[in-house]
Amino acid sequence: MNLFINAAGDKPMYEQVKDGIKEAILKGELKAHDLMPSVRQLAADLNVSMITTKRAYADLEREGLIYTVAGKGTFVKLEDITVIQEKNIGEAMEEFRKQTELLKKLDVPLERLESEIRSIYGGNDNE
């Protein structure tokens, strides 16, 4: 798992840590019951405070992605990746709907949206 933290970025560092771990889990780089680095070790590896990694781990635990066993460590909890993927898709689709409604209010033509979506997906406008 390679995490990169941008201290000058807009996103708080704990969110960057959380999102990086979540991405590694969703990509299958981290599998169910894999041992995670300790809060102290991850903080040292990323050159961030232990509070930052502790907050990221707490958020991931609340989201059901990791669990901690006292005296043993923190582990990946996820058994079925599709549950988390569907949740993420649902959240992204809701945001997409909101943005699409805003674009509609701005009188952006449907064809322009379709063209933009095709370009993102690498498709051809002439299909």
Side-chain angles (χ1 to χ4, degrees):
M1 170 179 69
N2 293 322
L3 298 178
F4 300 100
I5 305 303
N6 180 2
D10 292 338
K11 193 181 265 191
M13 287 193 287
Y14 79 89
E15 279 189 38
Q16 293 178 51
V17 173
K18 178 183 80 166
D19 291 347
I21 294 170
K22 184 187 270 191
E23 184 177 330
I25 292 170
L26 293 175
K27 284 183 173 179
E29 294 172 18
L30 294 172
K31 304 205 181 321
H33 310 295
D34 280 355
L35 177 64
M36 301 288 297
S38 69
V39 168
R40 177 171 286 149
Q41 182 62 53
L42 186 59
D45 291 348
L46 297 176
N47 198 26
V48 298
S49 76
M50 285 181 29
I51 294 168
T52 298
T53 55
K54 194 172 191 174
R55 170 80 186 268
Y57 274 23
D59 286 359
L60 289 165
E61 204 155 353
R62 265 192 302 281
E63 291 180 27
L65 294 172
I66 63 174
Y67 64 98
T68 302
V69 177
K72 301 241 184 213
T74 302
F75 301 87
V76 177
K77 183 176 183 181
L78 191 61
E79 297 289 341
D80 185 4
I81 198 168
T82 57
V83 173
I84 300 299
Q85 287 173 330
E86 284 302 316
K87 180 179 179 240
N88 288 340
I89 289 170
E91 290 171 358
M93 289 300 286
E94 181 60 31
E95 184 62 30
F96 177 74
R97 281 186 203 96
K98 288 177 185 176
Q99 295 301 316
T100 303
E101 288 172 7
L102 174 60
L103 290 165
K104 183 179 178 183
K105 287 178 185 176
L106 295 171
D107 293 325
V108 174
L110 178 60
E111 294 77 23
R112 185 168 176 191
L113 293 175
E114 289 173 341
S115 175
E116 187 66 27
I117 291 169
R118 282 192 179 87
S119 72
I120 292 168
Y121 273 82
N124 185 336
D125 286 345
N126 299 327
E127 291 179 354

